Amino acid sequence: MAAKTSKMPKTSAKVAKKAAAKRCAATPPLLAGGNPQIAKGEGDARVQAYIAAMPGWKSGVGRRIDALIARTIPGVRKAVKWNSPLYGIEGQGWILGLHCFTKYVKVAFFRGTSLRPVPPGVSKSKDTRYLNIHEDDQLDEAQFAAWVKQASQLPGERM
């Protein structure tokens, strides 16, 4: 009987430790490069959870980009897939996505080679072009909005 009572506190300690871990899980873990691990799903709430979990200065960049996209494309479709927010047009597919890396936030324009001017970052994918935003970069909001508007008029990616 004494052996059972000595095990009880350990079991209670395990339960308490698991409960504490679940409370901490409200803050999503960060994957390589500081990319938030957000459950796959549709809608603005998932994207906002991702943006809120972006570390440091990247969260501000995420909020700015999200606001620019929402202003440029009223009713934009949002989702998180593969731990990356995606933006698209209902029935047309996904036009761009975000992803956190250690030193920058990457914006992928899935039909980027069709945009004018073409975004600067090259990709292994023949149509995709990137815009990498570093901490001290000044985002040209007018150019970014122009790319978003152009992208919204092109066929999107089916994912």
Side-chain angles (χ1 to χ4, degrees), residues 44-116:
D44 185 57
R46 295 277 188 196
V47 171
Q48 296 311 315
Y50 178 96
I51 291 168
M54 292 170 79
W57 61 270
K58 296 172 192 170
S59 185
V61 168
R63 283 191 303 275
R64 231 167 121 199
I65 289 170
D66 183 73
L68 280 167
I69 294 167
R71 278 196 307 269
T72 305
I73 310 171
V76 66
R77 181 179 174 205
K78 299 180 185 184
V80 172
K81 296 183 181 199
W82 307 284
N83 295 307
S84 296
L86 299 178
Y87 296 82
I89 309 298
E90 191 66 45
Q92 290 182 289
W94 303 108
I95 61 171
L96 66 94
L98 303 179
H99 197 84
C100 282
F101 287 89
T102 302
K103 296 185 179 190
Y104 59 93
V105 174
K106 179 176 280 195
V107 180
F109 289 96
F110 302 130
R111 299 277 185 243
T113 56
S114 297
L115 305 179
R116 296 296 174 255

Coordinates of all heavy atoms in Angstrom, one line a residue, residues 44-116:
D44 N -9.7 33.8 -42.0 CA -8.9 34.9 -41.5 C -8.3 34.5 -40.1 O -7.2 34.9 -39.8 CB -9.7 36.2 -41.4 CG -8.9 37.4 -41.0 OD1 -7.9 37.7 -41.6 OD2 -9.3 38.0 -40.0
A45 N -9.1 33.8 -39.3 CA -8.6 33.5 -37.9 C -7.3 32.7 -37.9 O -6.4 33.0 -37.1 CB -9.7 32.8 -37.1
R46 N -7.2 31.8 -38.9 CA -6.0 31.0 -39.0 C -4.8 31.9 -39.4 O -3.7 31.8 -38.8 CB -6.1 29.9 -40.0 CG -7.1 28.9 -39.6 CD -6.5 27.8 -38.7 NE -7.5 26.8 -38.6 CZ -7.5 25.9 -37.7 NH1 -6.6 25.8 -36.8 NH2 -8.4 25.0 -37.7
V47 N -5.0 32.8 -40.3 CA -4.0 33.7 -40.8 C -3.6 34.6 -39.7 O -2.4 34.9 -39.4 CB -4.4 34.4 -42.1 CG1 -3.4 35.5 -42.4 CG2 -4.6 33.4 -43.2
Q48 N -4.6 35.2 -38.9 CA -4.3 36.1 -37.8 C -3.5 35.4 -36.7 O -2.6 36.0 -36.1 CB -5.5 36.7 -37.3 CG -6.2 37.6 -38.3 CD -5.3 38.6 -39.0 OE1 -4.5 39.3 -38.4 NE2 -5.5 38.7 -40.3
A49 N -3.8 34.1 -36.5 CA -3.0 33.3 -35.5 C -1.6 33.2 -35.9 O -0.6 33.3 -35.1 CB -3.7 32.0 -35.3
Y50 N -1.4 32.9 -37.2 CA 0.0 32.8 -37.7 C 0.7 34.1 -37.6 O 1.9 34.2 -37.1 CB -0.1 32.4 -39.2 CG 1.3 32.3 -39.9 CD1 2.0 31.1 -40.0 CD2 2.0 33.5 -40.4 CE1 3.2 31.0 -40.6 CE2 3.2 33.4 -41.0 CZ 3.8 32.1 -41.1 OH 5.1 32.1 -41.6
I51 N 0.1 35.2 -38.0 CA 0.7 36.6 -37.9 C 1.1 36.9 -36.4 O 2.2 37.4 -36.2 CB -0.2 37.6 -38.5 CG1 -0.2 37.4 -40.1 CG2 0.3 39.0 -38.2 CD1 -1.3 38.2 -40.8
A52 N 0.2 36.6 -35.5 CA 0.4 36.9 -34.1 C 1.6 36.1 -33.6 O 2.3 36.5 -32.7 CB -0.8 36.6 -33.3
A53 N 1.8 34.9 -34.1 CA 2.9 34.0 -33.7 C 4.2 34.3 -34.4 O 5.2 33.7 -34.0 CB 2.5 32.6 -33.8
M54 N 4.2 35.1 -35.4 CA 5.5 35.4 -36.1 C 6.4 36.1 -35.1 O 6.0 37.1 -34.4 CB 5.2 36.4 -37.3 CG 4.5 35.7 -38.4 SD 3.9 36.8 -39.7 CE 5.4 37.1 -40.6
P55 N 7.6 35.7 -35.0 CA 8.5 36.3 -33.9 C 9.0 37.7 -34.3 O 9.3 38.0 -35.4 CB 9.7 35.3 -33.9 CG 9.7 34.6 -35.2 CD 8.3 34.6 -35.7
G56 N 9.1 38.5 -33.2 CA 9.7 39.8 -33.3 C 9.2 40.7 -34.3 O 7.9 40.8 -34.5
W57 N 10.1 41.4 -35.1 CA 9.7 42.3 -36.1 C 8.9 41.7 -37.2 O 8.1 42.4 -37.9 CB 11.0 43.0 -36.7 CG 11.9 42.0 -37.3 CD1 12.9 41.3 -36.8 CD2 11.9 41.6 -38.7 NE1 13.5 40.5 -37.7 CE2 12.9 40.7 -38.9 CE3 11.1 41.9 -39.8 CZ2 13.2 40.1 -40.1 CZ3 11.3 41.3 -41.0 CH2 12.3 40.4 -41.2
K58 N 9.0 40.4 -37.4 CA 8.2 39.8 -38.5 C 6.7 39.9 -38.4 O 6.0 39.9 -39.3 CB 8.7 38.3 -38.6 CG 10.1 38.1 -39.0 CD 10.6 36.7 -38.9 CE 12.1 36.6 -38.9 NZ 12.6 35.3 -38.6
S59 N 6.2 39.9 -37.1 CA 4.8 40.0 -36.9 C 4.3 41.4 -37.4 O 3.2 41.4 -38.1 CB 4.5 39.9 -35.4 OG 3.1 39.9 -35.2
G60 N 5.0 42.4 -37.2 CA 4.6 43.7 -37.8 C 4.6 43.7 -39.3 O 3.7 44.3 -39.9
V61 N 5.6 43.0 -39.9 CA 5.6 42.9 -41.4 C 4.4 42.1 -41.8 O 3.7 42.5 -42.8 CB 6.9 42.2 -41.9 CG1 6.8 41.8 -43.3 CG2 8.1 43.1 -41.7
G62 N 4.1 41.0 -41.1 CA 2.9 40.2 -41.5 C 1.6 41.0 -41.4 O 0.7 40.9 -42.3
R63 N 1.4 41.8 -40.3 CA 0.2 42.6 -40.2 C 0.1 43.6 -41.3 O -1.0 43.8 -41.9 CB 0.2 43.4 -38.9 CG -0.2 42.5 -37.7 CD -0.4 43.3 -36.4 NE 0.7 44.1 -36.0 CZ 1.8 43.7 -35.3 NH1 1.8 42.4 -34.9 NH2 2.8 44.5 -35.0
R64 N 1.2 44.2 -41.7 CA 1.2 45.2 -42.8 C 0.9 44.6 -44.1 O 0.0 45.1 -44.9 CB 2.6 45.8 -42.9 CG 2.6 47.3 -42.9 CD 4.0 47.8 -42.7 NE 4.4 48.7 -43.8 CZ 5.6 49.0 -44.1 NH1 6.6 48.6 -43.4 NH2 5.8 49.7 -45.2
I65 N 1.5 43.4 -44.4 CA 1.2 42.7 -45.7 C -0.3 42.3 -45.7 O -1.0 42.5 -46.7 CB 2.1 41.5 -45.8 CG1 3.6 42.1 -46.1 CG2 1.7 40.6 -46.9 CD1 4.6 41.0 -46.1
D66 N -0.8 41.7 -44.6 CA -2.1 41.3 -44.5 C -3.1 42.4 -44.8 O -4.1 42.3 -45.5 CB -2.4 40.6 -43.2 CG -3.8 40.1 -43.1 OD1 -4.1 39.0 -43.7 OD2 -4.6 40.7 -42.4
A67 N -2.8 43.6 -44.2 CA -3.7 44.8 -44.3 C -3.7 45.3 -45.8 O -4.7 45.6 -46.3 CB -3.3 45.9 -43.4
L68 N -2.5 45.3 -46.4 CA -2.4 45.7 -47.8 C -3.1 44.8 -48.7 O -3.8 45.3 -49.6 CB -0.9 45.7 -48.2 CG -0.1 46.9 -47.8 CD1 1.4 46.7 -48.0 CD2 -0.5 48.2 -48.6
I69 N -3.0 43.5 -48.5 CA -3.8 42.6 -49.3 C -5.3 42.7 -49.1 O -6.0 42.8 -50.1 CB -3.3 41.1 -49.0 CG1 -1.9 40.9 -49.4 CG2 -4.2 40.1 -49.7 CD1 -1.2 39.6 -48.8
A70 N -5.7 42.9 -47.9 CA -7.2 43.0 -47.6 C -7.7 44.3 -48.2 O -8.8 44.3 -48.7 CB -7.4 43.0 -46.1
R71 N -6.9 45.4 -48.2 CA -7.4 46.6 -48.8 C -7.4 46.5 -50.4 O -8.2 47.1 -51.0 CB -6.5 47.8 -48.4 CG -6.8 48.4 -47.1 CD -6.1 49.7 -46.9 NE -4.7 49.8 -47.2 CZ -3.7 49.6 -46.3 NH1 -4.0 49.3 -45.0 NH2 -2.4 49.6 -46.6
T72 N -6.4 45.8 -50.9 CA -6.3 45.7 -52.4 C -7.3 44.7 -53.0 O -7.8 44.9 -54.1 CB -4.9 45.3 -52.7 OG1 -4.0 46.2 -52.1 CG2 -4.7 45.3 -54.2
I73 N -7.6 43.7 -52.2 CA -8.6 42.6 -52.7 C -9.7 42.5 -51.7 O -9.6 41.6 -50.8 CB -7.9 41.3 -53.0 CG1 -6.6 41.4 -53.8 CG2 -8.9 40.3 -53.6 CD1 -5.8 40.1 -53.9
P74 N -10.7 43.3 -51.7 CA -11.8 43.1 -50.7 C -12.4 41.7 -50.9 O -12.6 41.2 -52.0 CB -12.9 44.1 -51.1 CG -12.1 45.2 -51.9 CD -11.0 44.4 -52.6
G75 N -12.6 41.0 -49.8 CA -13.1 39.6 -49.8 C -12.1 38.6 -50.1 O -12.5 37.5 -50.5
V76 N -10.8 38.9 -50.0 CA -9.8 37.9 -50.3 C -10.0 36.7 -49.5 O -10.4 36.7 -48.3 CB -8.4 38.6 -50.0 CG1 -8.1 38.8 -48.6 CG2 -7.3 37.7 -50.6
R77 N -9.7 35.5 -50.1 CA -9.8 34.2 -49.4 C -8.4 34.0 -48.7 O -7.4 34.2 -49.3 CB -10.0 33.2 -50.5 CG -10.1 31.8 -49.9 CD -10.4 30.8 -51.1 NE -10.4 29.4 -50.6 CZ -10.1 28.4 -51.3 NH1 -9.8 28.5 -52.6 NH2 -10.1 27.2 -50.8
K78 N -8.5 33.5 -47.5 CA -7.3 33.3 -46.7 C -7.3 31.8 -46.1 O -8.4 31.3 -45.8 CB -7.2 34.2 -45.5 CG -7.2 35.7 -45.9 CD -7.1 36.6 -44.6 CE -7.1 38.0 -45.0 NZ -7.0 38.9 -43.8
A79 N -6.1 31.3 -46.0 CA -6.0 30.0 -45.4 C -4.5 29.8 -44.9 O -3.7 30.6 -45.3 CB -6.3 28.9 -46.3
V80 N -4.3 28.8 -44.0 CA -3.0 28.4 -43.7 C -2.8 27.0 -44.1 O -3.7 26.1 -43.8 CB -2.7 28.5 -42.1 CG1 -1.4 27.9 -41.8 CG2 -2.7 30.0 -41.7
K81 N -1.8 26.7 -44.9 CA -1.5 25.4 -45.4 C 0.0 25.3 -45.4 O 0.7 26.2 -45.7 CB -2.0 25.1 -46.8 CG -3.5 25.2 -47.0 CD -3.9 24.8 -48.4 CE -5.4 24.9 -48.5 NZ -5.9 24.2 -49.7
W82 N 0.5 24.1 -45.0 CA 2.0 23.9 -44.9 C 2.7 25.0 -44.1 O 3.8 25.4 -44.4 CB 2.6 23.8 -46.3 CG 1.9 22.8 -47.2 CD1 2.0 21.5 -47.1 CD2 0.9 23.1 -48.2 NE1 1.2 20.9 -48.0 CE2 0.5 21.8 -48.7 CE3 0.4 24.2 -48.7 CZ2 -0.4 21.7 -49.7 CZ3 -0.5 24.1 -49.7 CH2 -0.9 22.9 -50.2
N83 N 2.0 25.4 -43.0 CA 2.6 26.4 -42.1 C 2.9 27.7 -42.7 O 3.8 28.4 -42.4 CB 3.8 25.8 -41.3 CG 3.4 24.7 -40.4 OD1 2.5 24.8 -39.6 ND2 4.1 23.6 -40.6
S84 N 2.1 28.1 -43.7 CA 2.2 29.3 -44.4 C 0.8 29.9 -44.7 O 0.0 29.2 -45.3 CB 3.0 29.1 -45.8 OG 4.3 28.7 -45.5
P85 N 0.6 31.2 -44.5 CA -0.6 31.8 -44.9 C -0.7 31.9 -46.4 O 0.3 32.2 -47.1 CB -0.6 33.2 -44.3 CG 0.4 33.1 -43.2 CD 1.4 32.1 -43.7
L86 N -1.8 31.6 -47.0 CA -2.1 31.8 -48.4 C -3.2 32.7 -48.6 O -4.2 32.8 -47.8 CB -2.4 30.4 -49.0 CG -1.4 29.3 -48.9 CD1 -2.0 28.0 -49.5 CD2 -0.1 29.7 -49.6
Y87 N -3.2 33.5 -49.7 CA -4.2 34.4 -50.1 C -4.6 34.1 -51.5 O -3.8 33.8 -52.4 CB -3.6 35.9 -50.0 CG -3.2 36.3 -48.7 CD1 -2.0 35.9 -48.1 CD2 -4.1 37.0 -47.9 CE1 -1.6 36.3 -46.8 CE2 -3.7 37.4 -46.6 CZ -2.5 37.1 -46.1 OH -2.1 37.5 -44.8
G88 N -5.9 34.2 -51.7 CA -6.4 33.8 -53.1 C -7.8 34.5 -53.3 O -8.3 35.2 -52.6
I89 N -8.3 34.1 -54.5 CA -9.6 34.5 -55.0 C -10.5 33.3 -55.0 O -10.1 32.3 -55.6 CB -9.5 35.2 -56.4 CG1 -8.4 36.2 -56.4 CG2 -10.8 35.7 -56.8 CD1 -8.6 37.4 -55.5
E90 N -11.6 33.4 -54.4 CA -12.6 32.2 -54.4 C -12.8 31.8 -55.9 O -13.1 32.6 -56.8 CB -13.9 32.6 -53.8 CG -14.8 31.5 -53.5 CD -14.3 30.5 -52.5 OE1 -13.8 31.0 -51.4 OE2 -14.4 29.3 -52.7
G91 N -12.6 30.5 -56.1 CA -12.9 29.9 -57.5 C -11.7 30.1 -58.4 O -11.7 29.5 -59.5
Q92 N -10.7 30.9 -58.1 CA -9.6 31.1 -59.0 C -8.3 30.5 -58.4 O -7.3 30.4 -59.2 CB -9.3 32.6 -59.2 CG -10.4 33.3 -60.0 CD -10.0 34.7 -60.2 OE1 -10.1 35.5 -59.3 NE2 -9.7 35.1 -61.4
G93 N -8.2 30.2 -57.2 CA -7.0 29.6 -56.6 C -6.2 30.6 -55.8 O -6.6 31.7 -55.5
W94 N -5.0 30.2 -55.4 CA -4.1 30.9 -54.5 C -3.2 31.8 -55.3 O -2.6 31.3 -56.3 CB -3.3 30.0 -53.6 CG -4.3 29.1 -52.8 CD1 -4.5 27.8 -52.9 CD2 -5.1 29.6 -51.7 NE1 -5.4 27.4 -52.0 CE2 -5.8 28.4 -51.3 CE3 -5.4 30.8 -51.1 CZ2 -6.8 28.5 -50.2 CZ3 -6.3 30.8 -50.1 CH2 -7.0 29.7 -49.6
I95 N -3.0 33.1 -54.9 CA -2.2 34.0 -55.7 C -0.8 34.3 -55.0 O 0.1 34.6 -55.7 CB -2.9 35.3 -56.0 CG1 -3.3 36.1 -54.8 CG2 -4.1 35.0 -56.9 CD1 -3.8 37.5 -55.0
L96 N -0.8 34.2 -53.7 CA 0.5 34.4 -53.0 C 0.5 33.8 -51.6 O -0.6 33.4 -51.1 CB 0.8 35.9 -52.9 CG -0.1 36.8 -52.0 CD1 0.4 37.0 -50.6 CD2 -0.2 38.2 -52.6
G97 N 1.6 33.7 -51.1 CA 1.8 33.1 -49.7 C 2.9 33.7 -49.0 O 3.8 34.4 -49.6
L98 N 2.9 33.6 -47.7 CA 4.0 34.1 -46.8 C 4.7 33.0 -46.1 O 4.1 31.9 -45.9 CB 3.4 35.0 -45.7 CG 2.6 36.2 -46.0 CD1 2.1 36.9 -44.8 CD2 3.3 37.1 -46.9
H99 N 6.0 33.2 -45.7 CA 6.7 32.2 -45.0 C 7.8 32.9 -44.2 O 8.5 33.8 -44.8 CB 7.3 31.1 -45.9 CG 7.7 29.9 -45.2 ND1 6.8 28.9 -44.9 CD2 8.9 29.5 -44.7 CE1 7.4 27.9 -44.3 NE2 8.7 28.3 -44.1
C100 N 8.0 32.6 -42.9 CA 9.1 33.1 -42.1 C 10.4 32.4 -42.3 O 10.3 31.1 -42.2 CB 8.7 33.1 -40.6 SG 7.6 34.4 -40.1
F101 N 11.4 33.1 -42.4 CA 12.8 32.5 -42.4 C 13.5 33.3 -41.3 O 13.1 34.3 -40.8 CB 13.4 32.6 -43.8 CG 12.9 31.7 -44.8 CD1 11.8 32.1 -45.6 CD2 13.4 30.4 -44.9 CE1 11.3 31.2 -46.5 CE2 12.9 29.5 -45.9 CZ 11.8 29.9 -46.6
T102 N 14.7 32.8 -41.0 CA 15.5 33.4 -39.9 C 15.7 34.9 -40.0 O 15.5 35.6 -39.1 CB 16.9 32.7 -39.8 OG1 16.6 31.3 -39.6 CG2 17.7 33.2 -38.6
K103 N 16.1 35.3 -41.2 CA 16.4 36.7 -41.4 C 15.4 37.5 -42.3 O 15.7 38.7 -42.5 CB 17.8 36.8 -42.0 CG 18.9 36.3 -41.0 CD 20.3 36.5 -41.5 CE 21.2 35.9 -40.5 NZ 22.6 36.2 -40.8
Y104 N 14.4 36.9 -42.7 CA 13.4 37.6 -43.6 C 12.1 36.9 -43.7 O 11.9 35.8 -43.3 CB 14.0 37.8 -45.0 CG 14.3 36.5 -45.7 CD1 13.4 35.9 -46.6 CD2 15.6 35.9 -45.6 CE1 13.7 34.7 -47.2 CE2 15.9 34.7 -46.2 CZ 15.0 34.2 -47.0 OH 15.3 33.0 -47.7
V105 N 11.1 37.7 -44.2 CA 9.8 37.1 -44.5 C 9.7 37.0 -46.0 O 10.0 38.0 -46.7 CB 8.7 38.0 -44.0 CG1 7.3 37.5 -44.4 CG2 8.7 38.2 -42.4
K106 N 9.4 35.8 -46.5 CA 9.3 35.6 -47.9 C 7.8 35.7 -48.4 O 7.0 35.1 -47.8 CB 9.8 34.3 -48.3 CG 9.8 33.9 -49.8 CD 10.4 32.6 -50.1 CE 11.9 32.9 -50.2 NZ 12.7 31.9 -50.8
V107 N 7.6 36.5 -49.4 CA 6.3 36.6 -50.1 C 6.5 35.9 -51.4 O 7.3 36.3 -52.2 CB 5.8 38.1 -50.3 CG1 4.5 38.1 -51.0 CG2 5.8 38.8 -49.0
A108 N 5.7 34.9 -51.7 CA 5.7 34.1 -52.9 C 4.6 34.5 -53.8 O 3.4 34.3 -53.4 CB 5.7 32.6 -52.7
F109 N 4.8 35.1 -54.9 CA 3.8 35.4 -55.9 C 3.8 34.2 -56.9 O 4.7 34.0 -57.6 CB 4.1 36.7 -56.7 CG 3.9 37.9 -55.8 CD1 5.0 38.5 -55.2 CD2 2.7 38.5 -55.6 CE1 4.9 39.6 -54.4 CE2 2.5 39.6 -54.8 CZ 3.6 40.2 -54.2
F110 N 2.7 33.4 -56.8 CA 2.7 32.1 -57.6 C 2.7 32.3 -59.1 O 3.1 31.4 -59.8 CB 1.5 31.3 -57.1 CG 1.6 31.0 -55.6 CD1 0.5 31.2 -54.9 CD2 2.7 30.5 -55.0 CE1 0.5 30.9 -53.5 CE2 2.8 30.3 -53.7 CZ 1.7 30.5 -52.9
R111 N 2.3 33.5 -59.6 CA 2.3 33.8 -61.0 C 3.2 35.0 -61.2 O 3.0 35.9 -62.0 CB 0.9 34.0 -61.6 CG 0.0 32.9 -61.5 CD 0.2 31.9 -62.7 NE -0.8 30.8 -62.6 CZ -0.5 29.6 -62.4 NH1 0.7 29.2 -62.3 NH2 -1.5 28.7 -62.4
G112 N 4.3 35.1 -60.4 CA 5.1 36.3 -60.4 C 5.8 36.6 -61.7 O 6.1 37.8 -61.9
T113 N 6.1 35.7 -62.5 CA 6.7 36.0 -63.8 C 5.8 36.8 -64.7 O 6.2 37.4 -65.7 CB 7.3 34.8 -64.5 OG1 6.2 33.9 -64.7 CG2 8.4 34.2 -63.7
S114 N 4.5 36.8 -64.4 CA 3.5 37.6 -65.2 C 3.3 39.0 -64.7 O 2.5 39.7 -65.3 CB 2.2 36.8 -65.2 OG 2.3 35.6 -65.9
L115 N 3.9 39.3 -63.5 CA 3.7 40.6 -62.9 C 4.7 41.6 -63.5 O 5.8 41.2 -64.0 CB 3.9 40.5 -61.4 CG 3.0 39.5 -60.7 CD1 3.3 39.5 -59.2 CD2 1.5 39.8 -60.9
R116 N 4.3 42.9 -63.5 CA 5.2 43.9 -64.0 C 5.3 45.0 -63.0 O 4.3 45.5 -62.5 CB 4.6 44.5 -65.3 CG 4.6 43.5 -66.5 CD 6.0 43.0 -66.8 NE 6.0 41.9 -67.8 CZ 6.3 40.6 -67.5 NH1 6.5 40.3 -66.3 NH2 6.2 39.7 -68.4

